């Protein structure tokens, strides 16, 4: 079976690499950037700092700080309007998954026309997006280097999964120095998001030897560093290891895709406006319990990568060790125990399940499910 491996053309990473990245950006010949970020990073002066560094490269910039935590169609349309009004010739996304996804939506519509909902699904666009430079400030989503774009359609209360080679950024930047300010809760949520990416990619039906290597290394790095990054956000080795881990996990799922954890988490985010990483973390052990029937040997590898002693274990026992390790890590970084704590409602499960089965991320889950089974997983996660 043939495979295509997607990744940005250039990826700059490591402590203090931002200035090197600016030199690289200056060589593209761009004249004016739309910096897409969120209100928090704008208020903290980070977006202004990026604009000042771009100015040193003789690049003008205008800041759009309207990316919501779960970016929606209106956010994309407002950013697109500012881009056109300001005659920007490229986009810089600054932040975590939300600004990156919002920027992807803006850049894709800028060249392809129409609305972002037109591109829901897989490879629905005809043209490359406007050039996108993605500067990451979190260690989890890997949106700075993937072909995935998640935008909320508030009229349908769903998160649209846009999986399109044309939304892959031109350049990604991962400077752990920009991640030090992440609060404990965000560090935990984004770290568990990265773990979910790696595990879902590893058990995916589209996994291959390259994605397997990336996923397993990511799992080990996250297991060894996330607790410390949450405990002490100024620990630079832990921050740097998490930055590498989330990038490796991104390489894995960007090419092997995901599974029912993401398909279900997207519905929770779209329906209740909940944080994506937390939803993933709560659902992850429950979906893998469902998957264990068909991929116990793969989950045994996950257990080993997470440091569990599985000597002499059967595949079934190894799978249970993986699930236990996931639960322990989530508990150690203070992830809520269940969906009830997040405000989800049992009465909404049928519609959540219906929408989850329509999500493109579920197509590569190792075990096929019907609506009744998805509903049962949701209930188990309460």
């Amino acid at each position: 079976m043939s495979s295509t491996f997607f990744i940005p053309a250039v990826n700059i990473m490591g402590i203090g690499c931002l200035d090197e990245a600016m030199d690289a950006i200056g060589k593209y010949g761009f004249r004016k950037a739309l910096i897409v970020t969120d209100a928090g990073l704008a208020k903290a002066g980070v977006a202004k700092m990026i604009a000042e560094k771009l100015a040193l490269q003789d690049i003008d910039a205008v800041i759009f700080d309207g990316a919501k935590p779960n970016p929606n169609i209106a956010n994309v349309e407002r950013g697109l309007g500012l881009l056109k009004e300001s005659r920007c010739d490229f986009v810089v996304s600054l932040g975590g998954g939300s600004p990156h996804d919002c920027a992807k939506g803006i850049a894709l519509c800028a060249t392809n026309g129409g609305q972002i909902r037109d591109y829901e699904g897989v490879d629905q666009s005809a043209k490359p997006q406007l050039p996108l430079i993605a500067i990451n400030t979190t260690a989890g989503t890997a949106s700075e280097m993937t072909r995935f774009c998640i935008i909320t359609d508030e009229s349908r209360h769903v998160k649209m999964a846009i999986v399109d080679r044309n939304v892959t950024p031109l350049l990604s930047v991962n400077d752990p120095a920009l991640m030090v300010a992440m609060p404990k809760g965000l560090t935990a949520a984004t770290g568990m998001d990265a773990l979910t990416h790696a595990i879902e990619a590893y058990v995916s039906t589209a996994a291959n030897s390259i994605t397997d290597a990336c996923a397993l290394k990511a799992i080990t790095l996250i297991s060894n560093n996330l607790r410390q990054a949450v405990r002490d956000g100024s620990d630079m080795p832990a921050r740097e290891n998490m930055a590498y881990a989330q990038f490796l996990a991104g390489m894995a799922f960007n090419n092997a895709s995901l599974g029912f954890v993401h398909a279900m988490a997207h519905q929770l985010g779209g329906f209740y406006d909940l944080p994506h990483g937390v939803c993933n973390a709560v659902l992850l052990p429950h979906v893998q319990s469902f998957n264990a029937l068909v991929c116990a040997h793969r989950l045994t590898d996950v257990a080993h990568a997470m440091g569990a002693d599985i000597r002499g274990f059967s595949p079934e026992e190894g799978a249970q060790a993986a699930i236990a390790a996931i639960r322990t890590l989530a508990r150690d970084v203070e992830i809520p125990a269940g969906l009830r704590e997040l405000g989800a409602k049992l009465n909404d499960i049928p519609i959540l399940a219906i929408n989850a089965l329509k999500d493109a991320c579920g197509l590569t889950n190792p075990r096929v499910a019907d609506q009744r089974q998805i509903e049962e997983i949701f209930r188990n996660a309460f």
Side-chain angles (χ1 to χ4, degrees):
M1 184 179 71
S2 64
S3 298
T4 303
F5 199 82
F6 296 98
I7 191 171
V10 181
N11 302 276
I12 299 175
M13 56 191 73
I15 297 171
C17 74
L18 182 60
D19 287 336
E20 178 187 342
M22 287 295 164
D23 290 339
I25 294 168
K27 293 174 182 175
Y28 285 113
F30 300 133
R31 305 313 316 156
K32 192 169 187 179
L34 177 73
I35 299 175
V36 179
T37 191
D38 57 45
L41 287 170
K43 185 177 180 180
V46 183
K48 182 181 178 183
M49 178 267 288
I50 296 297
E52 290 171 348
K53 286 183 177 292
L54 288 171
L56 294 175
Q57 302 291 333
D58 294 323
I59 298 172
D60 292 331
V62 59
I63 297 170
F64 173 66
D65 64 359
K68 290 178 60 178
N70 287 307
N72 58 38
I73 292 173
N75 300 157
V76 172
E77 290 178 346
R78 283 196 293 271
L80 181 62
L82 181 58
L83 180 141
K84 291 178 177 178
E85 175 188 322
S86 304
R87 299 190 177 185
C88 299
D89 60 349
F90 77 116
V91 180
V92 173
S93 57
L94 172 67
S98 299
H100 296 319
D101 283 356
C102 188
K104 288 175 177 178
I106 293 167
L108 193 67
C109 290
T111 55
N112 283 271
Q115 294 185 318
I116 192 60
R117 63 165 58 92
D118 299 333
Y119 307 105
E120 183 176 7
V122 179
D123 288 334
Q124 295 300 305
S125 70
K127 303 174 185 177
Q129 66 183 0
L130 206 65
L132 171 62
I133 308 292
I135 302 174
N136 208 20
T137 65
T138 67
T141 70
S143 187
E144 84 284 354
M145 54 79 63
T146 70
R147 60 192 171 109
F148 285 68
C149 172
I150 308 299
I151 302 294
T152 298
D153 183 341
E154 293 187 313
S155 66
R156 292 187 289 152
H157 300 289
V158 298
K159 280 191 171 187
M160 299 183 294
I162 297 153
V163 186
D164 197 310
R165 65 185 68 203
N166 284 329
V167 303
T168 304
L170 176 66
L171 166 69
S172 81
V173 182
N174 273 286
D175 186 342
L178 294 174
M179 304 173 184
V180 172
M182 272 197 297
K184 289 178 182 285
L186 184 59
T187 299
T190 54
M192 291 301 295
D193 190 17
L195 181 69
T196 304
H197 291 155
I199 292 174
E200 287 216 286
Y202 191 69
V203 302
S204 164
T205 58
N208 59 49
S209 295
I210 299 173
T211 61
D212 285 353
C214 294
L216 290 175
K217 183 63 175 179
I219 292 166
T220 297
L221 284 170
I222 294 164
S223 298
N224 291 343
N225 292 277
L226 180 57
R227 292 175 178 88
Q228 180 60 20
V230 171
R231 189 179 303 116
D232 179 7
S234 64
D235 187 316
M236 289 310 297
R239 286 290 192 198
E240 186 166 31
N241 282 329
M242 285 303 301
Y244 280 112
Q246 70 90 31
F247 190 90
L248 284 164
M251 289 174 68
F253 90 83
N254 196 34
N255 296 283
S257 198
L258 295 159
F260 284 144
V261 180
H262 273 77
M264 296 169 70
H266 288 159
Q267 313 321 314
L268 294 167
F271 215 78
Y272 305 112
D273 200 25
L274 293 172
H276 175 66
V278 175
C279 293
N280 274 341
V282 172
L283 290 167
L284 181 58
H286 298 283
V287 172
Q288 299 318 315
S289 293
F290 173 79
N291 288 340
L293 185 67
V294 299
C295 62
H297 62 293
R298 288 239 141 195
L299 288 171
T300 300
D301 294 340
V302 170
H304 180 70
M306 294 188 75
D309 184 356
I310 54 171
R311 286 174 294 182
F313 279 24
S314 67
E316 292 72 25
E317 291 169 331
Q320 292 308 308
I323 293 161
I326 293 166
R327 292 183 188 277
T328 298
L329 179 56
R331 184 174 62 248
D332 288 350
V333 297
E334 299 183 4
I335 294 294
L339 298 180
R340 185 174 283 104
E341 291 183 40
L342 301 180
K345 297 177 175 59
L346 284 167
N347 289 343
D348 294 331
I349 285 179
I351 187 62
L352 293 171
I354 289 171
N355 289 336
L357 286 170
K358 297 176 184 176
D359 192 293
C361 290
L363 296 175
T364 47
N365 195 77
R367 185 180 174 192
V368 176
D370 58 24
Q371 184 178 336
R372 179 191 61 78
Q373 290 167 316
I374 296 295
E375 289 183 12
E376 184 177 0
I377 297 170
F378 270 125
R379 289 192 192 92
N380 290 339
F382 266 79

